[in-house]
Amino acid sequence: MTQHGYAKGLTNYGDPEFSKFLRGAFLRQMGFDREDYEKPIVGIVNTYSELNPCHRGFIELAPAVRRGVLEAGGLPVELPTISLGETFLHPTSMLFRNLMAIDTEEMVRAHPLDAVVLMGGCDKTTPAQLMGAASANLPAVFLAAGSMLTGDWQGERLGACTDCRRLWGEYRGGRIGEREIDAIQGQLMPTAGTCMVMGTASTMACVSEALGMMVPGGASPPAAYADRLRIGVESGRTAVRLAQSGLAPERIMTPEAFENAIRVLLAIGGSTNGVVHLTAMAGRLGIVIEPDAFDRLSEDTPMIVNLKPSGAYYMEDFHKAGGMRVVLHALKDKLHLDCLTVSGRTWRELLDEPFTHPDWQDVIYPASAPLQEKGGMVILRGNLAGDGAVLKRSAASPELMQHTGRAVVFDSLEDLSARIDAPELDVTPDDVLVLRNAGPIGAPGMPESGYIPIPRKLAQQGVKDMVRISDARMSGTAYGTIVLHIAPEAAVGGGLALVNSGDRIELDVARRGLNVLLDDATLARRREQWRPPELATPRGYLKLHREQVQQAHLGCDLAFLRPPERHRIR
Ligand code: FES
């Protein structure tokens, strides 16, 4: 008989009855009694950390979840795991996403839990928790922190971190001064919560709801709203029902559910990081998402959400406009409606409820009159990107979508910082900035440095965008004509490794091409001469990462954590 509650997964002393007796004694130490022994145990995985400001609101949100669990007759127990605060980690939070996924998987599996509420939200925490939940296959509800409210500077709304980058660009260009930038710094993150544009955190929240792993309506309420607390309570209740029904992630995160999530990623103009994270999450269930699937679905999915960095508004506006319910209704004809959600109901049942598109607003457009006819992302290939690269076309400059320019190559992040602002840098606005050795192995951890700054001397002339290409990622809050996730990366000998400054590079978005204009013989000669970069000898987790991390088109997971392929989304 399958055990549940406190009798599940007993510590092994060779005498199961003693193990149960001893565990009961320790439960009593915490103030529980025999009546509690029978209840489903719901783990509240609380990633509050004073080094993760986006999760500041968990101090208030975790008790709301606890209340929901108690109301539904469960026994709530709170436990910590690793937390990843995006801007507080060196060299990059992405290096630790897989470590957090391992922590989540092992802790929810090892403890006597019947279901979990995973409290996350800051960029990497969402995929890490869902990757862990997928591998552990324990009933789970994902609860996002909710976004920040916007700030204000001289009557202008500010949002992290699109406006951080825009205004820092103005400061670099000399158009605003020290005093102004200091005042702006104090207004960019005015409340608890995650970045309030459609950056990676908001993207992953919306995508998690589309996947079915979140309480319906759970993606959009800002952290400071009462709606967020109510979603917390409902997440607690839902987890108890999941513990009773045994509905596990594998039955929710199906190939069809991932297709729904990709549609939503494209329709909301979501972060390019969503491509890597969805690929990694699916990989944990033996579902391979080919890069070209994003392109295929992008051609057939309208972009309907008008949020920064692609559009004009912020998450609180998205919430007031109806949030994901409106988005899912707009996409209804394109979704797999029989997919189950953690609510125990299918999207068909949820979306069949009476609904009228809120046409009073300018935030979420109907599919019949979208913001853009096609989705926000394209996949590029060519001699620079044999396994693909990503461009967020919704955030790019239309006049640069077809562009040929001279390469200006930076060999590493250190080289970039040392030379990008040098007055003697040989660069013009028509050039293509190239950053290499910034991928999963080379950097390591594939940092968000693909948003290569415009060289200061060009910024001072008013240049706002240039074609920039790299094997790095980019923050979901950034924008520009920026090609990312080039695979294979330069550090393992990808095409990017063979480019020299002065070569001509062609970006052709219409034909999905990214090529250096060199003949095959020249490329072959350079390949023969190429030597891998010298990387510091790693130890500990970094050693494991370097030995096991996969390339961007596979989601940058650790190879040994992925089960064999069961399904392929092409
Ligand atoms: Fe945490 Fe942006 S830094 S969501």
Side-chain angles (χ1 to χ4, degrees), residues 491-515:
V492 297
L496 212 51
L498 309 180
V499 179
N500 290 340
S501 283
D503 292 343
R504 296 194 67 75
I505 289 178
E506 183 186 60
L507 169 67
D508 184 346
V509 176
R511 295 166 69 179
R512 302 294 190 266
L514 181 68
N515 288 284

Side-chain angles (χ1 to χ4, degrees), residues 406-531:
R406 196 180 58 137
V408 177
V409 179
F410 298 92
D411 257 324
S412 64
L413 288 163
E414 295 71 29
D415 185 29
L416 178 71
S417 332
R419 292 195 296 126
I420 189 74
D421 286 339
E424 64 275 15
L425 182 70
D426 179 14
V427 66
T428 73
D430 289 333
D431 291 340
V432 174
L433 302 179
V434 178
L435 170 65
R436 65 183 168 206
N437 297 315
I441 292 174
M446 205 183 175
E448 291 187 336
S449 41
Y451 181 74
I452 303 169
I454 302 293
R456 191 184 292 271
K457 65 181 179 188
L458 298 183
Q460 284 169 342
Q461 292 164 23
V463 176
K464 295 253 165 55
D465 194 13
M466 293 171 71
V467 175
R468 290 161 269 179
I469 72 172
S470 75
D471 45 14
R473 294 174 304 112
M474 158 173 105
S475 163
T477 61
Y479 50 90
T481 312
I482 299 178
V483 177
L484 303 153
H485 308 183
I486 290 180
E489 64 176 301
V492 297
L496 212 51
L498 309 180
V499 179
N500 290 340
S501 283
D503 292 343
R504 296 194 67 75
I505 289 178
E506 183 186 60
L507 169 67
D508 184 346
V509 176
R511 295 166 69 179
R512 302 294 190 266
L514 181 68
N515 288 284
V516 55
L517 302 180
L518 295 172
D519 57 40
D520 290 348
T522 307
L523 285 172
R525 200 170 52 247
R526 288 192 190 176
R527 180 164 297 289
E528 250 174 53
Q529 289 161 356
W530 177 78
R531 298 287 171 271

Side-chain angles (χ1 to χ4, degrees), residues 336-350:
H336 298 284
L337 296 174
D338 292 323
C339 290
L340 270 172
T341 69
V342 287
S343 68
R345 302 173 73 197
T346 62
W347 282 120
R348 187 184 307 286
E349 291 169 308
L350 290 164

Side-chain angles (χ1 to χ4, degrees), residues 10-32:
L10 290 169
T11 316
N12 195 347
Y13 303 111
D15 177 353
E17 284 309 309
F18 172 71
S19 299
K20 216 164 142 184
F21 165 77
L22 196 61
R23 186 172 280 175
F26 279 107
L27 275 175
R28 288 185 174 198
Q29 182 188 15
M30 290 195 292
F32 297 121

Side-chain angles (χ1 to χ4, degrees), residues 54 86 122-123 194-195 201:
C54 302
E86 188 59 25
C122 190
D123 294 15
T194 50
C195 293

